[in-house]
Amino acid sequence: MRKRVILITGANGEVGQGLIRQLAQVPDRLPIIALDLRTLEPALLPMVEASIAGDILDANMLDRLTTEYEIDTIYHLAALLSTHSEFRPEAAHRVNVQGTVDMLHLAIEQARWRAQSVKFIFPSSIAVYGLPDLATKHQVGAVTEQTYLDPITMYGCNKLYAEHLGRYYMSHYRQLAAAPEEHGVDFRCVRFPGIISALTIPSGGTSDFAPEMIHAAAKGVPYACFVRPDAVIPFMTMPDAIKALLGLAKADKARLQRAVYNVSAFSLPAEQLAEQVVKYFPNAEIIYEPSAGRQRIIDSWPADMDDTAAHHDWDWEPDFDGEQAFRDYLVPTIRQQYA
Ligand code: AKB
């Protein structure tokens, strides 16, 4: 008999690593299969059933995977982030869109085979938004799920389309077939703001200036911030990001009014992030060298995201506001890490 498992794609990425650490502590959970281009970080290997090095676009590899395991839940985290994607837009499209279609199709096949739906948890991003100019950004404040969906990055376009794909596979797949699918994909998606982890440093994102600034200060190296001091987007800590994924995964389906939910924790301009950094690392050297392209992307993202629907439908509540994030999570954990 095949083993029932949780599949995590992009398992070696920042969110993947955080998720594995957290899931490993859940009693009576299903075993985890970690899929990534690279084998999992050695420290995480004892927490998973298997670490598979492979490409989500490799159909043979996915076939082998489903021959061996019954997949109950998929956390589909594999993606090329926003800055990377601008350098390789077509590659980003393949990974972020085709990769997602392939995983949704795998989920549908699994659901049909086991006569039970498959949960598909998907991280989308603030990058799906595209504010036309700074005046509008400051005027509108926190945006709801439905507004300003005109992304200016390939990654944002990919994530927005992937949200629609998830909704389609969940609610409309094979809608003209004589017998519609009985069991399908239970697609649930959170739109994340920038995420800050104390344990890992991201690469290839545009919100990376915040974690880069903090980690540089903790390591005692100078940092040139690639956005203006007044650049503002919302952020959350990695523990809150994982809390959101797990919270939505276990939410009561009957309460979910939508497939896609904004989640947010705190909004701070780069200069206020820098103030917090200097408060805890008084020797931090932070200068501003804005990159026009990356600044333009940040300016197109909202200053805040309205996550009322998530509060209402599945009791979403972040644990850390801006002050608490630094005082209770980032600073102590980073200090310990670089000690
Ligand atoms: C990025 O900057 O690309 C990501 C994101 C906001 O989704 N961190």
Side-chain angles (χ1 to χ4, degrees):
M1 201 160 104
R2 299 185 307 173
K3 203 174 229 178
R4 208 151 65 91
V5 295
I6 297 169
L7 172 65
I8 303 180
T9 72
N12 227 353
E14 279 207 292
V15 178
Q17 291 192 24
L19 180 62
I20 289 170
R21 280 198 184 92
Q22 197 59 39
L23 273 176
Q25 292 170 29
V26 176
D28 300 329
R29 61 164 172 83
L30 294 177
I32 299 168
I33 304 300
L35 173 60
D36 201 292
L37 288 174
R38 297 162 294 134
T39 322
L40 204 57
E41 283 296 308
L44 300 180
L45 285 174
M47 301 175 197
V48 303
E49 169 81 13
S51 163
I52 299 173
D55 187 338
I56 52 164
L57 295 169
D58 177 350
N60 291 329
M61 188 274 297
L62 294 183
D63 277 350
R64 283 199 302 276
L65 194 68
T66 50
T67 315
E68 212 172 321
Y69 300 106
E70 177 191 334
I71 296 168
D72 179 85
T73 303
I74 299 175
Y75 290 87
H76 176 43
L77 312 179
L80 281 192
L81 296 185
S82 53
T83 296
H84 267 172
S85 296
E86 288 313 292
F87 290 107
R88 300 175 61 215
E90 290 74 23
H93 187 271
R94 278 193 297 279
V95 175
N96 298 345
V97 174
Q98 190 57 48
T100 303
V101 172
D102 292 351
M103 294 310 302
L104 284 163
H105 187 246
L106 180 150
I108 282 274
E109 300 261 279
Q110 283 284 297
R112 188 181 296 144
W113 178 84
R114 70 191 204 125
Q116 197 182 332
S117 71
V118 169
K119 263 189 200 163
F120 194 100
I121 313 301
F122 183 69
S124 185
S125 163
I126 188 173
V128 299
Y129 292 106
L131 279 304
D133 49 53
L134 269 180
T136 312
K137 170 167 174 158
H138 293 306
Q139 187 198 324
V140 299
V143 295
T144 58
E145 279 86 354
Q146 254 90 325
T147 49
Y148 297 104
L149 297 174
D150 297 298
I152 68 163
T153 60
M154 181 53 124
Y155 172 72
C157 295
N158 295 164
K159 284 290 186 185
L160 185 56
Y161 182 49
E163 290 178 2
H164 286 302
L165 286 171
R167 199 178 43 75
Y168 167 78
Y169 272 83
M170 178 163 70
S171 306
H172 307 292
Y173 185 71
R174 288 177 56 99
Q175 56 191 299
L176 299 185
E181 298 289 335
E182 246 183 275
H183 305 281
V185 179
D186 180 359
F187 178 80
R188 303 176 180 204
C189 168
V190 280
R191 267 190 208 152
F192 280 128
I195 299 173
I196 313 178
S197 168
L199 297 176
T200 47
I201 307 180
S203 78
T206 315
S207 61
D208 295 2
F209 60 92
E212 284 176 359
M213 186 186 286
I214 300 162
H215 281 266
K219 285 191 274 187
V221 298
Y223 182 64
C225 180
F226 59 78
V227 292
R228 293 185 316 263
D230 68 319
V232 59
I233 57 165
F235 285 97
M236 71 173 42
T237 62
M238 184 60 80
D240 272 338
I242 305 305
K243 184 181 182 191
L245 287 175
L246 296 177
L248 183 56
K250 74 168 195 313
D252 176 1
K253 180 86 179 147
R255 283 181 65 196
L256 299 181
Q257 307 274 319
R258 44 191 314 120
V260 177
Y261 288 90
N262 282 353
V263 287
S264 190
F266 57 90
S267 268
L268 288 179
E271 63 192 338
Q272 284 181 33
L273 287 170
E275 275 168 28
Q276 286 288 332
V277 171
V278 171
K279 180 165 134 193
Y280 292 100
F281 301 98
N283 296 328
E285 287 176 55
I286 300 166
I287 58 165
Y288 295 89
E289 286 178 357
S291 129
R294 292 177 105 184
Q295 180 68 61
R296 185 163 168 268
I297 294 173
I298 289 292
D299 286 345
S300 78
W301 292 353
D304 203 354
M305 290 157 80
D306 181 337
D307 55 4
T308 310
H311 286 281
H312 181 265
D313 290 4
W314 45 281
D315 308 318
W316 157 247
E317 200 61 61
D319 286 333
F320 302 97
D321 65 19
E323 287 277 331
Q324 294 163 332
F326 276 85
R327 189 189 61 218
D328 302 338
Y329 165 65
L330 290 168
V331 172
T333 319
I334 286 185
R335 278 205 175 121
Q336 204 179 351
Q337 148 133 310
Y338 294 118

